[in-house]
């Protein structure tokens, strides 16, 4: 699922694995699409970051914003795309 890309206007959260779950170098800030509460019955057991990483909810911490080292693949997949005009 590494090709996932956020949709415009999609609600996302910044999430990283809790201290002790993985080594500090792997505690990066992931961009995670938030499931629609009206379609999902409660929070799923696992969330999937835009980079494709599966995150067990119990092992994650919700961040108030981008904090610490960002997951570069998540950032790339969440960035809006624009096409250069012809002749540029």
């Amino acid at each position: 699922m590494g090709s996932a890309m956020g949709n415009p206007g999609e609600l996302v959260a910044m999430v990283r694995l809790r201290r002790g779950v993985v080594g500090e170098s792997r505690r990066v800030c992931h961009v995670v699409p938030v499931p629609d509460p009206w379609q999902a019955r409660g929070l799923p057991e696992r969330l999937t970051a835009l980079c494709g990483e599966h995150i067990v909810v119990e092992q994650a911490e919700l961040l108030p914003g981008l904090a610490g080292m960002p997951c570069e693949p998540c950032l790339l997949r969440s960035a809006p795309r624009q096409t250069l005009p012809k002749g540029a």
Side-chain angles (χ1 to χ4, degrees), residues 2 5-7 10 13 15 22 25 28 31 35-36 41 44 47 51-52 59 62 66-67 79:
M5 198 150 76
N7 297 321
E10 180 177 39
V15 174
V22 294
S25 65
V28 296
V31 180
D36 184 343
R41 295 186 183 213
L47 299 170
C51 67
Q59 297 176 342
L62 180 63
L66 191 59

Side-chain angles (χ1 to χ4, degrees), residues 23-82:
E24 284 299 309
S25 65
R26 292 205 43 228
R27 291 187 68 229
V28 296
C29 180
H30 290 281
V31 180
V32 177
V34 176
D36 184 343
W38 299 109
Q39 293 178 6
R41 295 186 183 213
L43 199 58
E45 214 175 274
R46 292 178 184 259
L47 299 170
T48 303
L50 294 183
C51 67
E53 173 114 10
H54 295 286
I55 301 170
V56 176
V57 171
E58 295 172 345
Q59 297 176 342
E61 64 179 331
L62 180 63
L63 302 171
L66 191 59
M69 179 62 74
C71 170
E72 291 179 10
C74 278
L75 288 181
L76 288 171
R77 287 181 175 90
S78 67
R81 311 287 196 283
Q82 288 186 352

